[in-house]
Amino acid sequence: MTAIDRRTLISGALAGVALAPTLAHAQGIPLPQGFVRFPIWPGKAPGGDHVTVTEAETLRRPDSGPHDSLFTHVTTPTLTLVRPTQPNGAAILLIPGGGYSRVAIGHEGYSIARRFADAGYACYSLLYRLPADGWAAGPQAPLQDAQRALRLVRALAPRERYDANRVGVIGFSAGGHLAAWLTSRTPEQTYTPIDASDREPIKAAIAAYMYPVIQMEGAFVHQGSRTQLLGPTPSPETMRAYSLDQNVSAQTPPIFMAHALDDAAVPPENSLAMLAALRAKGIPVEAHLFENGGHGFGLIAPPAAPAPWPDLFLNFAKRHGV
């Protein structure tokens, strides 16, 4: 990447960050203090000629706190950045879940971003498009956003003062499927490169799959995620192609996983299948199966959820240089 290209990229990124207050105000739910949001694509997201949905942001539950929001029908994919007070030279891309029908960006984005920013990481929460909203890329629309987001996080490293080779990815539930898709398979070109940031490799130093959707076939499928991603009647070949315990790349980075054994939404067998696949490829992996916690435990306090998982992840990241 030339110096001119780098300056062009940074100027574009700064312009995007400047839009953050406008976007947050338009959506009606303010961002947490210290967070900034910017679009990941210059102009409109690719393949939207036949998209007619209207993006909406609401509170996740009636009793949610003011920033516990979720998005449906995403039309403007974004990254929301919170900077660390004491940087450690690394960054994390967070991919919230929502069954591929919504994105729970408050619960599995902002709150967890704050936790890891307190540990020194520049943290980016990804708002990604949903596959059933009419995008030309269909099920690959969220992957396009995840690939673009990871490249942007790497490209912004000089400005944000972290090492582009010390970027981790953490995905939750269906976001865990997207994180595994992004990091455990050989990258494929899903969109036409548009600027200097797309010269960055689609590469993370480590990744974490939290109570992830992994399988799209068999007895342990999360039906809602599969229907949103692949439609009501996918073929056996399609289901297998999107099951991420298949075709794990030997270049997959070290992986951290956590799942509650009493998860009634996404069975822990999803994590067990991915664990077996990673071990078969010789990928460094650490997996935690908690007695309780249910699905989507995020940072819910104990005893309702296994709250120590962030410390376990931080120890894992430190061992692997991130």
Side-chain angles (χ1 to χ4, degrees), residues 20 22 94 110-112 128 132 134 136 158 181 186 228 231 236 257 301:
T22 304
L94 297 164
Y110 307 150
S111 64
I112 294 168
Y128 53 91
W181 198 358
T186 301
Q228 291 294 319
M257 293 195 297

Side-chain angles (χ1 to χ4, degrees), residues 47 69 132 145 159 172 198 302:
S69 66
D145 293 342
R159 192 196 78 176
F172 303 82
D198 287 327

Side-chain angles (χ1 to χ4, degrees), residues 31-212:
L31 289 170
Q33 186 175 2
F35 286 66
V36 289
R37 176 182 292 154
F38 55 96
I40 66 172
W41 302 99
K44 295 181 179 180
D49 291 346
H50 301 291
V51 173
T52 60
V53 298
T54 299
E55 181 174 300
E57 183 182 19
T58 60
L59 292 178
R60 187 168 61 96
R61 300 183 312 198
D63 62 345
S64 288
H67 307 301
D68 186 13
S69 66
L70 64 78
F71 281 81
T72 54
H73 304 307
V74 176
T75 55
T76 303
T78 61
L79 284 170
T80 301
L81 166 66
V82 60
R83 298 179 174 97
T85 302
Q86 297 182 320
N88 66 4
I92 295 175
L93 172 64
L94 297 164
I95 306 181
Y100 280 127
S101 64
R102 56 197 180 278
V103 181
I105 197 165
H107 178 57
E108 292 165 343
Y110 307 150
S111 64
I112 294 168
R114 180 71 75 190
R115 169 68 177 85
F116 287 117
D118 288 344
Y121 295 88
C123 290
Y124 298 81
S125 301
L126 174 61
L127 179 66
Y128 53 91
R129 289 171 294 153
L130 300 165
D133 282 343
W135 299 96
Q140 288 201 330
L143 181 61
Q144 289 180 332
D145 293 342
Q147 289 182 340
R148 172 72 176 171
L150 181 54
R151 283 168 156 164
L152 278 177
V153 171
R154 292 179 59 94
L156 287 169
R159 192 196 78 176
E160 297 299 330
R161 298 183 180 179
Y162 54 80
D163 185 344
N165 293 314
R166 295 179 62 205
V167 173
V169 174
I170 308 179
F172 303 82
S173 190
H177 184 272
L178 185 51
W181 198 358
L182 177 67
T183 60
S184 74
R185 288 194 168 174
T186 301
E188 56 183 302
Q189 183 168 303
T190 63
Y191 65 92
T192 302
I194 54 176
D195 60 22
S197 64
D198 287 327
R199 298 176 189 170
E200 292 287 338
I202 302 170
K203 184 178 181 181
I206 59 171
Y209 311 150
M210 301 294 300
Y211 39 88

Side-chain angles (χ1 to χ4, degrees), residues 168-169 183 204-209 251-257 278 282-286 313 316-317 319-322:
V169 174
T183 60
I206 59 171
Y209 311 150
Q251 282 69 53
T252 300
I255 301 298
F256 176 95
M257 293 195 297
L278 292 165
I283 306 302
V285 58
E286 177 172 315
F313 172 78
F316 175 83
R319 289 200 308 275
H320 290 283
V322 178

Side-chain angles (χ1 to χ4, degrees), residues 285-296:
V285 58
E286 177 172 315
H288 297 271
L289 298 175
F290 298 107
E291 178 184 3
N292 66 287
H295 187 68

